[in-house]
Amino acid sequence: MQESSDQSIDQRKTPKIWVLTLFPNHFKEFISTGVIGRLFSDKSVEIECLYLGDFSPKSFKGVDGTPYGGGPGMVMRADVLKACLDEVINLGGYKNPKEDLEVIYTAPRGKVFNNNDAHELKEKFIERERDLVFICGRYEGIDERFIESYVDQIYSIGDFVLSGGELAVQCIIDSLCRFLPSALGNDQSAAQDSFEDGLIEGPIYTKPRDFEGKEVPKELLSGNHKLIKSYNEAKKVEYTKKYRPDLYNEYRKTKS
Ligand code: ADE
């Protein structure tokens, strides 16, 4: 076991994400690849995955049980999850775990995660109020008593069912870490992302200028920055109307 650090959350330099999972391998590629991988390797943000199988009681040797009252599948045990969370508190040296940690579980019943949630989490996490703990469910889910006692927020990534929470957790971590200053290629790219102004991004183009007879729009080749800006703005509105009429209706309300 690692020695616990004595730092409080305020002194801690690097934001830290803990992942409690039965499949730590699921995170290997994720934390070592692309923009997100760079953030972890240059220590802009830390991540530590704990294997839930290491926290099963000796008398039992396992992480799950059959559901009381019957029903299909298996349920992840609250005592195993709690033992793993205690290890997070110990390793991280959190003095006030309720305040220092935001414990997030992902499940289809959760609030569907969106850009506003990503911003809220960013404020809590990157702007250093709290470190994050993600619980990855498997089987039928986790014992409700653990959720009642220790989970702060449940998120879903959409109205469909995954076989486990690992992918959902990676989606959330990815969207969040993109806000880190060191993740951005230039200062503007996060602000220009889809959803930031209630609109999705318009079309983008690169070389060749002619692809199978289709030319890049002439406005983008004009060199006239004002024209390019107004073209891009109009396209954002047009594309939002076409691809996300729900967002477009909201956008129109804010404009009227
Ligand atoms: N776990 C299983 N399905 C899920 C979903 N849709 N979103 C988040 N976590 C899940």
Side-chain angles (χ1 to χ4, degrees), residues 106-144:
T106 66
R109 76 158 107 145
K111 178 185 182 305
V112 177
F113 191 77
N114 66 22
N115 203 48
N116 292 338
D117 299 310
H119 271 287
E120 263 176 37
L121 263 191
K122 170 201 142 189
E123 268 146 43
K124 283 188 187 151
F125 174 55
I126 297 175
E127 284 151 30
R128 303 310 299 123
E129 261 176 58
R130 292 177 152 201
D131 281 345
L132 303 181
V133 182
F134 286 96
I135 314 280
C136 301
R138 280 271 155 177
Y139 315 120
E140 290 303 305
I142 70 179
D143 190 303
E144 193 65 26

Side-chain angles (χ1 to χ4, degrees), residues 17-171:
I17 295 169
W18 303 84
V19 179
L20 281 45
T21 174
L22 280 168
F23 297 96
N25 279 348
H26 232 291
F27 287 81
K28 278 200 176 140
E29 284 289 313
F30 173 65
I31 65 177
S32 58
T33 309
V35 173
I36 300 299
R38 205 187 61 227
L39 296 175
F40 292 121
S41 65
D42 74 11
K43 297 257 184 273
S44 301
V45 57
E46 280 178 34
I47 191 163
E48 191 162 338
C49 298
L50 299 185
Y51 170 54
L52 283 164
D54 287 339
F55 299 89
S56 64
K58 282 199 182 71
S59 58
F60 175 73
K61 282 265 166 275
V63 297
D64 57 345
T66 53
Y68 280 117
M74 302 294 272
V75 179
M76 286 169 75
R77 290 172 60 122
D79 55 351
V80 173
L81 291 161
K82 176 58 175 28
C84 193
L85 182 60
D86 284 344
E87 180 72 342
V88 167
I89 294 165
N90 174 44
L91 290 175
Y94 299 103
K95 299 211 176 74
N96 303 301
K98 287 266 170 212
E99 272 111 65
D100 294 343
L101 295 172
E102 177 90 351
V103 179
I104 297 166
Y105 174 52
T106 66
R109 76 158 107 145
K111 178 185 182 305
V112 177
F113 191 77
N114 66 22
N115 203 48
N116 292 338
D117 299 310
H119 271 287
E120 263 176 37
L121 263 191
K122 170 201 142 189
E123 268 146 43
K124 283 188 187 151
F125 174 55
I126 297 175
E127 284 151 30
R128 303 310 299 123
E129 261 176 58
R130 292 177 152 201
D131 281 345
L132 303 181
V133 182
F134 286 96
I135 314 280
C136 301
R138 280 271 155 177
Y139 315 120
E140 290 303 305
I142 70 179
D143 190 303
E144 193 65 26
R145 293 166 295 177
F146 181 83
I147 297 176
E148 283 168 12
S149 300
Y150 298 108
V151 169
D152 296 302
Q153 188 64 254
I154 309 178
Y155 286 121
S156 165
I157 59 160
D159 291 342
F160 48 87
V161 181
L162 297 165
S163 58
E166 283 78 7
L167 286 173
V169 166
Q170 288 174 25
C171 289

